[in-house]
Amino acid sequence: MDWGTIINNTLAGLLTPTTIAFALAALGLAMHFGFAGLLNFGIAGFMAIGAYGYAISVLTFGFPWWGGMIVGIIGSILFAILLGVPTLRLRGDYLAIVTIAAAEIVRLLFLTTAFTDVTGSADGLFGYNNAGGFTSANPFPPGSYGWGPWTYNSETLWVLTFGLGVLAVCVWFLWALMRSPWGRVIKGIREDEEAIRALGKNVFAYKLQALIIGGIFGGMGGIIYAAFANVSPGVYVTSITFFIWTSLLLGGAATIWGPVIGAVIFWTLQAFLSNILPELALAGILPVSGTQAATLRFVLVGIGLMLLVIYRPQGIFGDKRELTFVK
Amino acid sequence: MSNNDSPIKSTGLHIGEAAPGCKKTDPMLIIDHVKKSFGGLTAVDVEHLEIPKNAITALIGPNGAGKTTLFNLLTGFDTPDTGEWAFLGTSLSGVPSYKVAQMGQVRTFQLTKALSLLTVLDNMKLGAKNQVGESIFRALFPRSWRKQDAEIELKAIELLKRFKLDTKQADFAASLSGGQRKLLEMARALMTDPVLVMLDEPMAGVNPALTQSLLGHVLDLKKEGMTVLFVEHDMHMVRHIADWVVVMAEGKVVAEGPPETVMNEQAVIDAYLGAHQDTDLGVVTGRISIIDQEKDK
Ligand SMILES: Nc1ncnc2c1ncn2[C@@H]1O[C@H](COP(=O)(O)OP(=O)(O)O)[C@@H](O)[C@H]1O
Ligand SMILES: [Mg+2]
């Protein structure tokens, strides 16, 4: 086994545009679920809308890259309102059902051939980073940067820098909100919304605000993902939602840094497993083929998610008392 | 606080004879034709009821009489099939619960709603009204809310001291005992600077040691100019602190009057005896003995 490559690839997983995109989406879920108690199982839909909003407005409407990104964010806000207005007055589980269905509808709308001219259908969209000028906005001259596993060309470095900047702003934003009296109301709603209503707070408005803020983070996650890769409908599937849930629960749902660190751990682990499992299969230790071994990691993710929820629902960084599923 | 002295009762609250639906000299809440059914069951059917201002009114009646449902209707937590009611002259029909609370009519719940995973202090601070930092935009600028938040904290700590919960302020509310949670819920309600405080079974599950101080707190509310409407099964408490008693049975107001007289009325005794089968025997026997004592006098 080539341990050198395995370790190198694993360490590289610590910092990639994908990790940053997932950290952003997990941060959105932290706002939704960890702090406000809103069960959103449609975070993939928010990411898709962010990504497509960016790509479509550049390719179809000729927006500059930053204009496209703003459209992506506005799209996420509208999606949050669309989901929230009919469901937030209902019991929490309804939101879960509606979000999971809505995310699928969004994905299928982008996938259907009816709008191929705009959405690219199954092929997705590409070339928007060049067309919108995101690539040429790169301040780093061509070359190789960093060292060891963290060696990047200037394009990747630009996406990483941009993504980290966005992530930093979002982390600050969430932190600033959650330490404020607004955050106190949000946590109160998570605990018992009737009690909060009895104290004279407009619970519906607060829940909608929380849904929008988390939705913006999710949309930003989609945009950062799109700034690095192509936009493809095959990405925004329900399993992505569960990867993000795993990242969130891994780090701790009701924490600021938990989702970020959870995403890092998740993708580092993914990188490790996707490297070591095929090697183990090759070496005859695992009785499966190389491709089967690579998919085995998703099975492991599922098992990991279950174990986490059962044995450590508060995550690695959460306070045991602050968030448990069994109340 | 003078818990052991007999509290000063407010009198002259009503006009004319003390009968169901009688007029009050200075009503705070006026209820008309409020009706609510669940399926075939009429839970509340109140023709007319006035709650006197700056007095302590007890709402009593056997389990299932519709007391909690009436509370829910009056505070906007449930909508009646018909009827209207006014709080200080303002109609509250169709007004959402949070606005009712903002107007100064605050309630607590029969099943205590402590915000378990918030600290006791945060529970309290949530009660304060008109907080600048509760607006999402201002929240981002601590300079706009720090000062107000500090004032709210002082007020919360003052109240916690009164309720003997100040040593618990940093603990999660989940760690409090059932009785302490009742106290916390009441203290939190007071943070809203209410005009009318509606307490749904404030003494249920509270141990005798705390009962005395809870009584004192309720009496203090009146002294501070607030109006109290509370649901209670403990007849000792009702007789001790209530200025006025409203008796409900099967959704209707069957009697009202000062505690000394109303508990002797045949309608009241019937209401309790009629509900005898489905209520907890211990509670019922307690009640009957009190009512019997009253009769013997
Ligand atoms: N949400 C509801 N759905 C159906 N029936 C209800 C509901 N709430 C209360 N009831 C019924 O209405 C009646 C009055 O209940 P409640 O107001 O809780 O009585 P109390 O507080 O006086 O004990 C009871 O018979 C109860 O079963
Ligand atoms: Mg009740």
Side-chain angles (χ1 to χ4, degrees):
Chain A
M1 259 190 273
D2 182 1
W3 283 106
T5 311
I6 293 174
I7 292 171
N8 198 63
N9 288 347
T10 303
L11 289 178
L14 278 174
L15 181 63
T16 66
T18 312
T19 313
I20 296 171
F22 270 65
L24 276 165
L27 205 62
L29 267 192
M31 172 81 262
H32 288 159
F33 175 69
F35 292 117
L38 302 171
L39 275 171
N40 172 16
F41 284 110
I43 194 74
F46 284 97
M47 293 179 79
I49 285 177
Y52 274 97
Y54 165 43
I56 291 174
S57 44
V58 168
L59 291 177
T60 307
F61 301 102
F63 277 47
W65 64 274
W66 50 269
M69 290 183 181
I70 291 172
V71 170
I73 293 170
I74 293 172
S76 318
I77 295 174
L78 294 178
F79 189 50
I81 295 173
L82 197 70
L83 288 180
V85 167
T87 52
L88 287 179
R89 288 182 210 278
L90 303 173
R91 232 178 44 211
D93 355 17
Y94 288 96
L95 183 69
I97 298 165
V98 169
T99 49
I100 203 166
E104 274 300 278
I105 293 171
V106 163
R107 186 178 68 86
L108 293 172
L109 281 177
F110 288 132
L111 182 61
T112 174
T113 48
F115 316 112
T116 309
D117 293 351
V118 178
T119 62
S121 175
D123 294 336
L125 297 168
F126 36 83
Y128 48 85
N129 283 321
N130 285 325
F134 179 74
T135 316
S136 52
N138 187 350
F140 304 106
S144 179
Y145 297 86
W147 54 273
W150 301 290
T151 309
Y152 308 104
N153 62 23
S154 75
E155 277 93 51
T156 313
L157 183 68
W158 169 221
V159 179
L160 284 176
T161 314
F162 183 74
L164 282 177
V166 170
L167 182 62
V169 170
C170 290
V171 164
W172 174 82
F173 198 70
L174 186 61
W175 170 80
L177 281 178
M178 289 320 296
R179 68 159 173 178
S180 75
W182 184 87
R184 193 160 58 211
V185 177
I186 289 293
K187 286 195 229 168
I189 289 171
R190 177 190 73 197
E191 294 304 310
D192 193 323
E193 59 176 83
E194 296 233 305
I196 300 301
R197 216 170 267 137
L199 295 172
K201 322 283 182 202
N202 186 349
V203 167
F204 176 77
Y206 280 100
K207 289 210 285 191
L208 194 58
Q209 288 168 4
L211 197 63
I212 290 173
I213 300 290
I216 292 175
F217 294 169
M220 287 306 303
I223 291 170
I224 298 301
Y225 198 83
F228 179 67
N230 296 333
V231 173
S232 152
V235 170
Y236 307 100
V237 289
T238 309
S239 50
I240 278 283
T241 291
F242 287 98
F243 291 171
I244 296 166
W245 270 92
T246 310
S247 305
L248 174 74
L249 296 173
L250 203 57
T255 61
I256 305 285
W257 285 107
V260 175
I261 296 168
V264 170
I265 295 174
F266 180 84
W267 282 104
T268 311
L269 217 63
Q270 283 284 310
F272 175 70
L273 290 174
S274 65
N275 278 279
I276 196 152
L277 291 174
E279 290 272 354
L280 288 175
L282 266 181
I285 301 170
L286 278 179
V288 290
S289 76
T291 9
Q292 282 171 327
T295 29
L296 192 61
R297 66 194 164 116
F298 296 116
V299 177
L300 293 177
V301 168
I303 295 172
L305 180 57
M306 286 195 282
L307 292 177
L308 205 57
V309 169
I310 296 167
Y311 293 106
R312 207 176 161 81
Q314 77 275 26
I316 296 172
F317 299 97
D319 183 329
K320 168 102 186 141
R321 297 168 304 173
E322 171 132 38
L323 199 97
T324 44
F325 286 84
V326 196
K327 280 197 183 160
Chain B
M1 249 181 319
S2 52
N3 287 336
N4 298 317
D5 308 338
S6 239
I8 303 154
K9 294 292 179 91
S10 306
T11 49
L13 296 170
H14 62 293
I15 301 168
E17 199 189 333
C22 71
K23 289 230 175 313
K24 304 296 178 320
T25 39
D26 196 4
M28 164 152 281
L29 207 53
I30 303 177
I31 302 156
D32 273 305
H33 318 291
V34 168
K35 200 168 170 175
K36 174 78 186 177
S37 318
F38 294 109
L41 176 106
T42 305
V44 167
D45 184 6
V46 174
E47 231 2 81
H48 185 84
L49 179 64
E50 298 184 3
I51 306 297
K53 200 185 278 179
N54 195 16
I56 300 176
T57 303
L59 182 59
I60 65 169
N63 286 328
K67 306 179 296 293
T68 298
T69 308
L70 182 63
F71 262 41
N72 288 342
L73 296 174
L74 295 180
T75 50
F77 277 84
D78 206 344
T79 38
D81 306 333
T82 61
E84 56 263 1
W85 64 105
F87 169 68
L88 289 171
T90 316
S91 170
L92 285 188
S93 324
V95 175
S97 51
Y98 75 93
K99 284 202 177 137
V100 173
Q102 283 174 359
M103 289 165 79
Q105 181 182 334
V106 76
R107 69 166 301 179
T108 65
F109 294 86
Q110 181 170 355
L111 298 172
T112 324
K113 292 188 184 295
L115 305 163
S116 310
L117 302 180
L118 258 58
T119 64
V120 168
L121 187 60
D122 275 347
N123 260 272
M124 292 295 288
K125 288 166 90 175
L126 263 171
K129 283 200 289 195
N130 303 323
Q131 293 193 45
V132 175
E134 285 184 354
S135 128
I136 189 161
F137 299 110
R138 309 257 198 100
L140 294 171
F141 306 99
R143 233 179 297 170
S144 69
W145 50 261
R146 274 253 163 78
K147 191 163 157 276
Q148 188 193 31
D149 203 56
E151 287 162 8
I152 289 169
E153 189 160 323
L154 283 182
K155 181 175 160 191
I157 292 170
E158 270 314 300
L159 263 170
L160 283 175
K161 276 191 189 132
R162 248 172 70 186
F163 283 78
K164 305 233 163 37
L165 285 170
D166 50 321
T167 54
K168 303 267 182 198
Q169 55 175 280
D171 298 358
F172 278 125
S175 69
L176 299 182
S177 73
Q180 287 171 327
R181 281 182 215 191
K182 283 265 174 207
L183 284 175
L184 174 62
E185 200 186 17
M186 191 167 150
R188 190 176 66 199
L190 297 184
M191 284 295 290
T192 64
D193 293 325
V195 194
L196 170 61
V197 185
M198 298 173 59
L199 308 168
D200 198 348
E201 304 203 12
M203 309 294 272
V206 176
N207 71 41
L210 280 177
T211 310
Q212 266 307 323
S213 66
L214 241 165
L215 284 178
H217 294 314
V218 176
L219 287 168
D220 285 347
L221 300 184
K222 186 172 90 170
K223 266 185 225 150
E224 286 163 29
M226 285 173 244
T227 301
V228 181
L229 175 63
F230 74 106
V231 173
E232 190 47 68
H233 284 301
D234 184 328
M235 294 302 154
H236 287 295
M237 173 169 177
V238 170
R239 255 195 309 163
H240 187 60
I241 68 169
D243 303 308
W244 192 258
V245 178
V246 175
V247 189
M248 276 182 84
E250 289 167 9
K252 292 187 163 61
V253 175
V254 293
E256 56 175 307
E260 308 76 44
T261 53
V262 81
M263 281 155 166
N264 294 331
E265 280 183 35
Q266 194 57 41
V268 179
I269 296 162
D270 288 348
Y272 276 103
L273 290 177
H276 186 179
Q277 295 92 322
D278 15 77
T279 40
D280 172 59
L281 209 61
V283 182
V284 169
T285 38
R287 278 183 201 131
I288 293 170
S289 70
I290 291 166
I291 293 167
D292 285 347
Q293 282 167 20
E294 291 276 344
K295 267 164 68 182
D296 293 343
K297 274 187 200 164

